[in-house]
Amino acid sequence: MQVQDFEKLFQDRIDKEVKIEPKDWMPEAYRKTNIRQISQHAHSEIVGMLPEGNWISRAPSLKRKAILLAKVQDEAGHGLYLYSAAETLGMSRDEMINDLHSGKAKYSSIFNYPSLTWADMGAIGWLVDGAAILNQVMLCRTSYGPYARAMVRICKEESFHQRQGFESLLVLSQGTEEQKEMCQDAINRWWWPSLMMFGPKDSESTNSDQSMKWKIKRKTNDELRQQFVDMIAEQIKVLGMTLPDPDLKWNEKRMHYDFGAINWEEFWNVVKGNGPCNKQRLEARRKAHEEGQWVREAAMAFSNKQKVKASAA
Ligand code: FAQ
């Protein structure tokens, strides 16, 4: 059979909603784009622990601390599921991590913004996890089997993350004047970067067309972004707060909210490594990796010992 025949059979399977599994034939570009997306997703979960990790020791109560700690641990677990899913496509975890540390691999722009106050923990849970969920619910049906299955588990945890964020902001929104201001300020700072999480607008999205054909993505960046705006524009009413967008308005004709222009220059600047915290985030990850070297060595030594024992038995 010619390559074109394989490609046709492959596309037929995708069109029939049959999942692609690690040992199946796949076009090299399908493998590469999945490695790119899944590893970037994994890096985002791991780097994404940093803005919230910053507040674990300063949470205002034991209850809040336990919730935040559990959430940050969940993100670590998500990163590990996703690295495992990407490894099934033939790239080693070491290579992926080297690419993150060298700045070659991307991770979500959102984690390059600072978490300045306690209210940021609520805003991250509500807005950042809220945006992540919409994207990830779609990915539960992505065409690559190991990625889709990882997403099912991840989504269950993400919905708890979003709820705890909303509830934390709800408490602040009903508190003192100072707490209300802190709540509004956090929403103001996280709103626009959250909209950027969905990626460039469709007309600028280099990967979307092919990823939609291969059903890696099921909805475009702009479709998901609109879904997010429609959801949050309603939820904010419960908080009695406002979104920092004078152009946000229900459009009866479109049956969607209209919203203002996103600052794409800021987005690309952050993606290229020049956001407020890019350098700090990568330094923190490199340091954690170096400091964990002895743990990896000890684990390898233990595993080798077990293998020797097993072969002697
Ligand atoms: N940041 O052609 P497209 C989370 C890049 S998880 C940085 O549209 P694509 C959980 C893109 O890579 C959040 N770069 O790309 C959590 C591409 O460059 P490349 C992460 C971005 O892949 C919560 C170029 O721009 N979620 O938050 C961004 O078709 C709280 C052109 O873009 C995922 O990764 C961005 N925002 O669509 C953790 C979900 N957007 O690679 C802790 C999986 C785009 O060609 C605390 N990923 N770029 O050099 C996806 O669904 C997709 O990759 C998109 C982008 C939708 C992000």
Side-chain angles (χ1 to χ4, degrees), residues 6-249:
F6 280 112
E7 279 174 358
K8 188 175 174 311
L9 283 176
F10 176 81
Q11 190 63 49
D12 285 349
R13 287 190 68 183
I14 301 254
D15 295 342
K16 284 185 194 138
E17 303 289 336
V18 179
K19 291 273 179 265
I20 306 302
E21 297 299 336
K23 289 188 176 156
D24 294 340
W25 185 90
M26 60 186 84
E28 208 34 43
Y30 178 85
R31 181 187 302 280
K32 281 204 178 124
T33 204
N34 264 299
I35 291 179
R36 176 188 66 79
Q37 180 169 321
I38 304 170
S39 63
Q40 286 178 4
H41 194 165
H43 299 327
S44 304
E45 301 281 356
I46 297 298
V47 178
M49 293 159 71
L50 295 169
E52 288 170 297
N54 180 32
W55 279 90
I56 291 172
S57 60
R58 291 179 285 164
S61 68
L62 181 61
K63 179 183 136 194
R64 293 288 176 203
K65 187 175 178 137
I67 294 172
L68 188 59
L69 199 55
K71 177 182 190 300
V72 174
Q73 284 177 341
D74 283 353
E75 311 299 358
H78 299 173
L80 299 185
Y81 300 155
L82 288 163
Y83 282 130
S84 299
E87 278 178 311
T88 64
L89 289 156
M91 188 177 197
S92 75
R93 192 171 302 204
D94 281 347
E95 275 177 279
M96 290 185 251
I97 290 183
N98 282 342
D99 283 355
L100 171 69
H101 293 172
S102 71
K104 187 176 163 203
K106 293 188 170 75
Y107 58 87
S108 184
S109 49
I110 191 77
F111 302 116
N112 293 305
Y113 290 85
S115 49
L116 303 179
T117 69
W118 170 251
D120 287 24
M121 297 304 97
I124 291 177
W126 178 44
L127 297 175
V128 176
D129 284 274
I133 293 170
L134 288 184
N135 175 282
Q136 293 175 160
V137 164
M138 155 189 95
L139 291 173
C140 291
R141 294 189 302 117
T142 191
S143 56
Y144 187 56
Y147 192 20
R149 291 189 287 274
M151 291 323 304
V152 173
R153 296 184 66 170
I154 290 175
C155 280
K156 286 186 183 152
E157 292 171 351
E158 295 288 24
S159 50
F160 146 70
H161 295 175
Q162 195 199 15
R163 270 184 227 170
Q164 67 80 35
F166 185 79
E167 194 268 341
S168 172
L169 288 187
L170 190 61
V171 170
L172 290 177
S173 73
Q174 293 164 354
T176 62
E177 275 315 303
E178 215 179 349
Q179 286 171 323
K180 285 181 193 163
E181 270 170 35
M182 188 165 71
C183 180
Q184 183 62 62
D185 169 64
I187 294 169
N188 291 349
R189 283 182 291 105
W190 288 93
W191 172 244
W192 292 105
S194 300
L195 290 188
M196 294 175 195
M197 283 177 74
F198 296 97
K201 51 185 176 204
D202 293 350
S203 54
E204 312 271 311
S205 166
T206 41
N207 301 294
S208 275
D209 276 355
Q210 186 59 65
S211 290
M212 295 285 285
K213 276 184 201 130
W214 279 331
K215 299 191 180 175
I216 295 173
K217 285 166 90 165
R218 301 268 180 161
K219 288 184 183 175
T220 70
N221 300 357
D222 285 336
E223 281 168 352
L224 285 172
R225 191 168 11 246
Q226 180 70 62
Q227 205 181 328
F228 178 69
V229 172
D230 292 346
M231 176 177 89
I232 298 295
E234 288 301 316
Q235 292 178 353
I236 190 114
K237 293 179 188 166
V238 182
L239 290 179
M241 298 279 140
T242 55
L243 292 171
D245 180 356
D247 296 325
L248 184 80
K249 200 166 165 252

Side-chain angles (χ1 to χ4, degrees), residues 256-312:
H256 287 294
Y257 277 90
D258 289 335
F259 55 100
I262 292 171
N263 182 347
W264 291 114
E265 199 184 324
E266 174 183 324
F267 170 74
W268 288 115
N269 216 16
V270 175
V271 173
K272 285 180 189 146
N274 305 315
C277 300
N278 294 59
K279 288 183 185 67
Q280 187 185 326
R281 298 291 185 236
L282 277 189
E283 260 167 44
R285 285 314 315 156
R286 285 192 205 109
K287 184 166 176 279
H289 193 68
E290 278 162 25
E291 288 175 359
Q293 180 64 25
W294 71 271
V295 179
R296 291 189 293 281
E297 281 168 6
M300 285 309 291
F302 180 73
S303 153
N304 289 338
K305 244 190 201 170
Q306 297 295 98
K307 274 186 211 149
V308 172
K309 254 193 200 166
S311 62

